[in-house]
Amino acid sequence: MLKKVARWIDNRLGTSAFTQDALNKVFPDHWSFMVGEIALYAFVVLIVTGIFLSFFFDASTSQSVYDGSYAPLVGVEVSDAYKSTLEISLDVRAGLVMRQTHHWAALVFVAAIVVHLCRIFFTGAFRSPRELNWIIGITLLILAIFNGFTGYSLPDDLLSGTGLRIAYSIALSVPLLGTWMGFLIFGGEFPADQIISRLLVTHIMIVPALIIGLLTAHLALLWRQKHTQFPEPGRTEHNVVGSKLWPTYAAKSLGLFFGVFAILVLMGGLFQINPIWLYGPFEPQQVSSPAQPDWYLGWVDGALRLFPAVELRAFGFEIPNPFYPGVLLPGVTFLALYAWPFLEQAFTHDREPHNLLDRPRDRPMRTALGATTLAFYTVMFIASSSDLIAKWFTVSVLDLVRVFQVLVILIPPAVGWATYRLMKALAGSGAPRLTEMPLSALTHPNGRGNGAFPHQERGRDAHAGGATAGDDGDGRSAARTGGDGALPAQRIDDRE
Amino acid sequence: MSHPSHPGRGPERREGPGIAVAFGVSALASLGLTVLYGFGGQPQIEGILLFIALGGLGAGLILWGKQLMPNAPFVEERKLNLGRPEARAEVVASLEEAGPDAGRRSFLAKMLGGALGALGVAALFPIRSLGTAPGRALFRTPWAGGGRVVTIDGEPVAAGDFEVGQVLTIVPEGNLEAGDSQVILIRLEPGEYEPPPGREDWSPEGFVAFSKVCTHAGCPVGLYQAGSQELFCPCHQSVFAVLQAAAPTAGPATRPLPQLPLRIDEDGFVAAQGDFVEPVGPGFWNRPSA
């Protein structure tokens, strides 16, 4: 049977040689390489559950009186979008599991992308020749966050309506273009009727198509350039060590897909999320308290809360307060992310192709900068729950906001400094992993001989061959060490 | 090309009964799902059964991969040839075969670029159809005609029935839905409120009314603290002091909530004198300075 199918296809497409290459393709085994796969599989779950939901959802803001099975809302005037979401949740068989799994999968999707991004960043996997895939990856992150928000806004409930209201205000705040942007996106002054149907087209057609296209390109580039790998004996700039695609990697990866799917349906079945029947339908005069966005927009909401009450006027025109935390901050964030591989190249003058990864300790400055950045966004994320935290600890929310305003400035540099010291100590101790580093290494960060692992670091270098970064502290050197595969990765020259 | 240095991944792997059990349990859970669905379904049990069905498949496949498939590290050479100057020169030469001589080609290329650019600009105009023009929409509200204030259910507000300390969300009569016309009506002790200059006759009999649309990011300023007489926005924690003409005292808001001029009409109902004198809600670029 298999022979027959293979012959039939090969006689028509002549793909046997390619297929054989593909089946033999080697994928490195490291747990941190699974995170990107988790994002991919969460996206598959989003598509499967999303298709189911799309058959029942009605993206209309026409109002009618609710007379369905949720007694507390009977007699209340609601939109068709809200009503159909209620029906999916309460009346369609398996509808609630599908809807909640979809929502949880969206949260996990963005989370996995962010963790994957951190893995790529802290191990230097974005370096030449992989800058293009970094750019595609950042674009995927932006699209994932954006599509999360459009989906969250579809049910036309009170919480998401408040979120849309804030999004509209942020659009309005853009200098010169803001009023037109707000009116064209929403169809007129808020709350305009067209927004839900536009969100649906964006959410289930435009953005998913973009994500699928870019995801394909992301994987195609990965396939073409092959994986990076951590330096270990036997691993060089010129090989890939791991499992073959067929059968081992395919079986494990398919197993991971089912595992991710299993966890997401369990969360969808057991953990309530976005119970819109408790929030009620959107009414422009009402607001829910507390009001938080989904986690991936927490940093923007936190920034809106923490940014001080100032706004500027330039040339007689206003630059409203939400512009700075709501437009400028995300703009700078994603621009900096896009630019990072090139910024680092400009600082280190290292434009060589790298297939062997750095360990975070190899580049203490990069690692410290990354930790500083993460700390900055984490404080803002926590600040987006300032009202909830104030309630739990029964303190004044206004005092708490002031504390956060100080913390968001103090904590990131402190975390960066501590990370830098830790990475230097770790590199100096030669400990194979952080948990095995003796505490004394922290007080004598450069005492290479005092640690329990004096030979580890050099031993690793000697076997790694290729371009293991020299550790001179500021990450400027790209010195190479010798070894069995002593040739550096192939030179490429962008400047002729 | 196995590598000996990986402990625990050597050839001594054994097959346990786990794989078959995992697939079997998965099949049973799927069967259970079918039965459950037939009985009308139940979200929590659906989640658990789906978890077992999918998780069994995942566990079985991973165990299969770990126990029965070749796991010794394989080595593949990187054959990718980056940056080959000869091949690149050929590509560039081929691309340049698009026209007879460089001058003519450059002229035609510019014409082509111009035509495509013009089409691109023309294609932008349909975007204009997406919404109404902002015009003066942000500068006025449905309060412009004055008229009685009503509750969100359309009931007028009799001044005599409204007690001191009471708070109510009001909208203009005949226009209950607009997002920008929502107003907070509060009745204060007579003399408690000292109106700013020019607004002396806006608060008859202790009635004051402020736009409910936050001047920061547009959320309804939905919470009123009677003790401190402050309005509080639940979205970003802006605080407005009612007795100071709703000036912001904390949080990110930079401007007071605009005040609606009130009157008591001849039948004793609360009414508006007219529209706000400034735009309500969040800022925008051409909002005049206060």
Side-chain angles (χ1 to χ4, degrees), chain A residues 14-249:
Chain A
T15 45
S16 285
F18 171 79
T19 311
Q20 181 56 30
D21 265 7
L23 294 180
N24 277 338
K25 194 173 175 61
V26 167
F27 288 78
D29 292 311
H30 190 273
W31 64 266
S32 70
F33 287 35
M34 281 194 318
V35 183
E37 284 181 65
I38 293 175
L40 172 68
Y41 295 144
F43 182 66
V44 175
V45 174
L46 281 170
I47 291 193
V48 172
T49 50
I51 288 173
F52 181 87
L53 296 176
S54 71
F55 293 145
F56 300 95
F57 181 67
D58 178 3
S60 158
T61 47
S62 310
Q63 303 281 318
S64 60
V65 175
Y66 180 76
D67 59 353
S69 58
Y70 187 64
L73 283 175
V74 169
V76 176
E77 194 165 85
V78 299
S79 68
D80 288 348
Y82 184 78
K83 194 200 273 186
S84 60
T85 313
L86 276 185
E87 277 166 10
I88 293 173
S89 309
L90 304 172
D91 302 320
V92 174
R93 232 180 271 184
L96 185 64
V97 173
M98 288 286 185
R99 200 187 130 231
Q100 294 194 144
T101 302
H102 191 73
H103 202 129
W104 280 117
L107 302 188
V108 169
F109 179 47
V110 187
I113 293 177
V114 170
V115 178
H116 178 59
L117 169 81
C118 290
R119 198 276 289 180
I120 301 293
F121 178 87
F122 286 109
T123 62
F126 56 82
R127 291 174 299 173
S128 178
R130 295 182 176 78
E131 304 98 325
L132 264 178
N133 236 9
W134 169 267
I135 289 172
I136 293 173
I138 301 298
T139 313
L140 281 168
L141 170 64
I142 296 171
L143 289 173
I145 291 176
F146 180 68
N147 222 33
F149 181 73
T150 57
Y152 163 90
S153 303
L154 283 177
D156 201 25
D157 59 293
L158 189 54
L159 183 61
S160 72
T162 307
L164 277 178
R165 179 58 138 136
I166 297 169
Y168 168 81
S169 301
I170 290 174
L172 274 193
S173 76
V174 174
L176 301 178
L177 301 174
T179 48
W180 274 103
M181 281 169 55
F183 276 59
L184 291 184
I185 294 170
F186 284 77
E189 190 175 6
F190 188 89
D193 284 338
Q194 292 95 323
I195 188 63
I196 300 290
S197 56
R198 287 183 186 179
L199 285 171
L200 182 70
V201 174
T202 311
H203 181 74
I204 72 174
M205 288 171 66
I206 303 173
V207 183
L210 290 173
I211 291 180
I212 289 171
L214 286 172
L215 203 52
T216 309
H218 203 61
L219 295 175
L221 288 193
L222 166 81
W223 188 277
R224 174 90 179 139
Q225 295 180 321
K226 293 197 169 72
H227 271 80
T228 52
Q229 58 191 351
F230 282 103
E232 255 183 49
R235 300 183 182 178
T236 74
E237 289 283 1
H238 302 282
N239 66 13
V240 190
V241 180
S243 312
K244 283 184 182 176
L245 174 65
W246 190 261
T248 315
Y249 182 78

Side-chain angles (χ1 to χ4, degrees), chain A residues 21 24-26 29 77 93-94 96-97 129-130 162 165-166 168-169 172-180 183-184 187-191 194 198 224-229 232-244 247-248 251-252 254-256 258-259 261-263 265-266 269-270 283-289 291 301 304-305 307-311 313 316-318 320-322 353 355 386-387 397-398 401-402 490-493 496, chain B residues 3 5-6 9 36-48 50-59 61-62 64-66 69-85 88 127-135 137-138 140 152 169-171 176-180 182 212-213 215-223 232 234-239 249-255 282-290:
Chain A
D21 265 7
N24 277 338
K25 194 173 175 61
V26 167
D29 292 311
E77 194 165 85
R93 232 180 271 184
L96 185 64
V97 173
R130 295 182 176 78
T162 307
R165 179 58 138 136
I166 297 169
Y168 168 81
S169 301
L172 274 193
S173 76
V174 174
L176 301 178
L177 301 174
T179 48
W180 274 103
F183 276 59
L184 291 184
E189 190 175 6
F190 188 89
Q194 292 95 323
R198 287 183 186 179
R224 174 90 179 139
Q225 295 180 321
K226 293 197 169 72
H227 271 80
T228 52
Q229 58 191 351
E232 255 183 49
R235 300 183 182 178
T236 74
E237 289 283 1
H238 302 282
N239 66 13
V240 190
V241 180
S243 312
K244 283 184 182 176
T248 315
K252 284 183 184 173
L254 197 60
L256 179 66
F258 284 116
F261 207 159
I263 300 288
V265 290
L266 188 69
L270 297 187
E283 294 289 342
Q285 299 92 356
Q286 288 177 14
V287 61
S288 62
S289 175
D301 192 52
L304 281 165
R305 292 172 188 226
F307 196 78
V310 293
E311 60 190 17
R313 294 187 77 87
F317 295 123
E318 180 169 301
N321 180 284
N355 295 317
S386 54
D387 47 345
V397 67
L398 303 175
V401 166
R402 274 176 219 113
Q490 189 197 354
R491 256 193 105 82
I492 53 171
D493 195 352
E496 279 178 40
Chain B
H3 203 284
S5 71
H6 277 265
R9 293 188 184 177
L36 180 71
Y37 197 85
F39 280 101
Q42 205 281 339
Q44 282 80 20
I45 304 177
E46 280 162 8
I48 292 169
L50 270 169
F51 169 73
I52 297 170
L54 292 161
L57 282 174
L61 280 166
I62 290 171
W64 193 345
K66 283 190 180 252
M69 290 177 181
N71 256 309
F74 293 91
V75 180
E76 186 186 10
E77 297 303 313
R78 293 180 190 275
K79 284 168 285 191
L80 182 59
N81 217 349
L82 300 173
R84 284 182 302 148
R88 203 160 57 220
I127 294 176
R128 171 64 188 83
S129 309
L130 285 175
T132 57
L138 292 171
R140 58 168 180 247
I152 53 174
T169 297
I170 53 166
V171 288
L176 309 184
E177 296 296 329
D180 58 355
Q182 48 182 304
K212 198 180 170 183
V213 186
T215 56
H216 173 235
C219 291
V221 183
L223 304 173
F232 187 87
C235 287
H236 306 108
Q237 288 77 47
S238 289
V239 181
T249 54
T254 53
R255 283 174 281 113
F284 49 95
W285 66 280
N286 54 349
R287 199 185 62 82
S289 62

